[in-house]
Amino acid sequence: MNPQFRHPILPETTHDELARQNFVTSLKKHVFSLSAKNQGVYETRAKPRFEREHQRTPETRYEIQQAMKDEPYYRWVSALRRMGQELMWDSVLSSVERQLPELRERAKGVNQPLGSLTLNPDLLIPTYQQAVDIHCMPGSYHSDLSADDVAAGALYDRGVYLYVRGMLGPLNDDMGRSAVQNFLKREYPDFHPGHILDMGCTVGHSTLPYVEGYPEAVVHGIDIGASLLRYAHARAEALGKRVHFSQQNAEKTNFADESFDLVVSHILLHEIPVPALRNVLRESYRLLKPGGMMVHIEAPLYCHMDSYRAFAFDWETVNNNEPFWGAFRDLDLKAEAIKAGFEPDQVLETFAPNGAWLQAQGNGTPKSQEFGGRGTWFMLVAWK
Amino acid sequence: MKKKAKGKRPVYLQNPEEDQLLAIALALAGEVSVLRERLDTMEKIAQTKGLFTTAEIEAYQPSQQVEQEREQWRADYIARVLRVLQEDEG
């Protein structure tokens, strides 16, 4: 694994903390290779058994799940995956907790900021975000321990890097970077958005590439988590990028109608239930100027996969605290965008190559099996 | 900071206790790996500098303070390995 870029707000690691994180990364890699063998178990054991019992082949991911759930190999691999995820967060959490006072101080040390940070202590955290801690990150996105807390941000920044084993690049920014370089700049070279909004920006991993790609633009990032945003602000400033962060729910923001030329999100849509997703698409429409563009970046939907792959992908829903993952991937997003106000001929579902950070380094494209195996990001695109 | 993610942990093996045993074994494996990495660092540095020999390690007698530090370390270590049994829901 390539090292993460050590910006000044990134939590540091002692020798043992780093060794602990290294172990988790190696463990996850090994377990991932074990997971791939589940398909052989399905083909040689679970599927023939299902066929004997039902006189037909399993058709849906639910039937494959039914056929696989008692297979000892599948259960062991699932156990290892889940425990690996818990160990991963534990290896980061203990490190962040040790240096939390120092991280708070470092985050406060922003002088002459380029961008801004606007928090809203009265913002209601949606109940759907409080039901479980998403992807087993203790405290989830919204935890906020004190008026100057940055714990969730630090935990997320380092945790995501380990989770993807560095495959999003040294700044965890491949989604934004690939959207800008491999989609927007490539397909729409004459599109020069003056005002850009990143919804559900967390610590700004994907926000900053828009600042780099469109240096003249005013870039905003919103999220519900105050701790995430304090960290995001400090990180953006440390990296010399001008972003205006504010604590808002993407379902209903306080920006005026037609404020933006480009509204984007990165793996936000699968973290919210369908009614909230509909609100986010309606809000995207409201916020766009005529001629503006919306781009929501995601991993692929189930309609893009065969039933076995959908079953394998859907592991996350129950096993990794991703309650909205499966329901989201069953949606007809084009229809949802049209319902939100976009004209049918102005909506596009497409894929763009991932790995822009590697292309920039001249190292080709990464293997991205864990993101759906296509070497691409899925995008819901619409023009107003 | 909250130690455990809110949400139901599925049962993968025969019962929750077996899952906990697996978590403990994995945590132990992790700590062995951490230890191995630290030892390796020390041996690499010592070798570069010509600092100490294996015989010196065998002959080492820890002071009372060192013993106390080690005791504290072992307590932290055991807590880490047994994480899955003692984490609270809050």
Side-chain angles (χ1 to χ4, degrees):
Chain A
M1 185 174 72
N2 296 321
Q4 187 170 6
F5 181 81
R6 290 176 64 179
H7 59 77
I9 189 71
L10 185 73
E12 283 162 13
T13 45
T14 63
H15 189 285
D16 286 4
E17 286 167 356
L18 181 60
R20 210 163 273 133
Q21 295 176 3
N22 288 341
F23 170 77
V24 168
T25 312
S26 300
L27 175 70
K28 284 173 72 72
K29 189 173 180 183
H30 184 78
V31 173
F32 182 68
S33 70
L34 294 180
S35 300
K37 293 180 186 157
N38 271 324
Q39 189 159 7
V41 171
Y42 172 65
E43 296 292 344
T44 59
R45 292 170 51 96
K47 188 175 164 191
R49 197 182 54 236
F50 185 98
E51 286 167 344
R52 275 197 307 277
E53 288 170 7
H54 297 85
Q55 309 303 315
R56 63 176 177 82
T57 302
E59 283 162 15
T60 64
R61 71 173 195 270
Y62 301 106
E63 288 181 344
I64 296 174
Q65 166 70 24
Q66 199 57 31
M68 284 291 279
K69 71 177 173 52
D70 294 326
E71 285 294 335
Y73 184 85
Y74 173 68
R75 290 169 63 151
W76 266 99
V77 172
S78 294
L80 287 167
R81 268 179 86 174
R82 169 70 184 220
M83 300 309 168
Q85 181 76 349
E86 292 186 18
L87 265 187
M88 182 196 82
W89 288 120
D90 195 58
S91 75
V92 181
L93 194 141
S94 51
S95 164
V96 168
E97 193 163 45
R98 173 184 60 77
Q99 56 195 308
L100 205 45
E102 193 193 322
L103 286 172
R104 284 188 199 125
E105 287 309 309
R106 271 193 264 159
K108 276 192 280 192
V110 177
N111 296 315
Q112 297 178 315
L114 295 163
S116 62
L117 173 66
T118 310
L119 298 178
N120 175 10
D122 298 326
L123 180 81
L124 214 59
I125 303 298
T127 45
Y128 61 75
Q129 280 293 313
Q130 299 183 53
V132 300
D133 287 351
I134 300 277
H135 44 60
C136 297
M137 175 170 127
S140 203
Y141 293 103
H142 56 273
S143 84
D144 190 24
L145 305 175
S146 63
D148 56 0
D149 180 41
V150 291
L155 188 57
Y156 186 79
D157 194 4
R158 184 63 184 160
V160 166
Y161 194 81
L162 297 179
Y163 180 70
V164 300
R165 302 202 309 269
M167 287 187 292
L168 295 179
L171 288 164
N172 276 332
D173 65 356
D174 187 62
M175 272 176 281
R177 191 172 283 275
S178 291
V180 172
Q181 302 301 336
N182 293 347
F183 178 67
L184 291 166
K185 293 267 182 183
R186 198 178 284 182
E187 304 291 330
Y188 308 98
D190 298 327
F191 179 59
H192 301 290
H195 290 82
I196 301 173
L197 173 65
D198 183 14
M199 294 174 149
C201 65
T202 64
V203 298
H205 287 150
S206 293
T207 322
L208 301 196
Y210 293 87
V211 180
E212 202 171 304
Y214 299 103
E216 306 301 322
V218 178
V219 179
H220 287 260
I222 59 169
D223 203 282
I224 57 165
S227 164
L228 283 182
L229 290 167
R230 284 186 206 100
Y231 186 94
H233 176 56
R235 179 180 179 273
E237 295 296 328
L239 293 168
K241 299 285 191 288
R242 186 192 304 275
V243 179
H244 301 287
F245 291 101
S246 55
Q247 189 179 9
Q248 303 198 57
N249 183 338
E251 292 179 73
K252 190 178 189 310
T253 71
N254 62 15
F255 298 111
D257 292 357
E258 304 183 359
S259 292
F260 295 98
D261 305 282
L262 177 61
V263 171
V264 297
S265 77
H266 309 81
I267 49 171
L268 164 69
L269 299 184
H270 78 261
E271 306 292 25
I272 56 178
V274 174
L277 176 139
R278 291 180 175 143
N279 290 339
V280 168
L281 294 182
R282 272 195 295 268
E283 185 68 356
S284 301
Y285 184 82
R286 182 183 77 79
L287 293 175
L288 282 177
K289 296 176 190 176
M293 194 193 302
M294 149 181 114
V295 184
H296 295 288
I297 291 127
E298 264 291 343
L301 306 180
Y302 290 147
C303 63
H304 304 128
M305 306 178 191
D306 62 38
S307 299
Y308 180 81
R309 259 186 81 224
F311 152 74
F313 217 63
D314 204 50
W315 187 91
E316 302 286 328
T317 303
V318 170
N319 296 287
N320 196 19
N321 281 5
E322 289 278 17
F324 314 116
W325 178 278
F328 164 72
R329 296 194 196 290
D330 277 332
L331 284 176
D332 178 349
L333 283 181
K334 198 169 173 182
E336 295 297 340
I338 293 165
K339 266 192 265 177
F342 293 94
E343 295 295 328
D345 62 351
Q346 298 296 302
V347 183
L348 172 72
E349 286 184 310
T350 187
F351 292 87
N354 63 20
W357 68 275
L358 269 181
Q359 292 152 20
Q361 295 177 358
N363 287 333
T365 50
K367 291 197 175 71
S368 60
Q369 295 293 324
E370 274 166 290
F371 305 124
R374 289 164 180 261
T376 55
W377 294 114
F378 166 65
M379 299 179 176
L380 172 68
V381 182
W383 294 263
K384 184 171 176 182
Chain B
M1 288 170 76
K2 205 175 108 176
K3 298 286 192 289
K4 188 186 177 214
K6 186 178 177 184
K8 191 168 176 283
R9 178 190 282 141
V11 177
Y12 297 97
L13 306 177
Q14 297 297 319
N15 50 52
E17 290 74 23
E18 279 196 13
D19 285 7
Q20 288 178 318
L21 266 176
L22 175 63
I24 291 166
L26 279 180
L28 269 171
E31 294 311 303
V32 170
S33 177
V34 168
L35 195 57
R36 172 73 182 75
E37 207 157 305
R38 177 167 277 262
L39 263 180
D40 189 56
T41 297
M42 289 173 65
E43 287 172 16
K44 294 287 191 294
I45 293 172
Q47 193 175 323
T48 312
K49 299 197 167 185
L51 283 182
F52 58 74
T53 65
T54 308
E56 283 173 302
I57 292 174
E58 292 297 332
Y60 176 74
Q61 296 292 327
S63 67
Q64 198 179 359
Q65 193 197 330
V66 170
E67 283 288 14
Q68 279 170 7
E69 286 168 6
R70 288 182 175 186
E71 196 174 320
Q72 181 58 51
W73 181 89
R74 284 193 299 269
D76 293 345
Y77 166 69
I78 289 165
R80 183 166 287 121
V81 171
L82 298 182
R83 167 192 66 87
V84 71
L85 301 185
Q86 60 209 354
E87 59 192 17
D88 54 335
E89 265 290 352

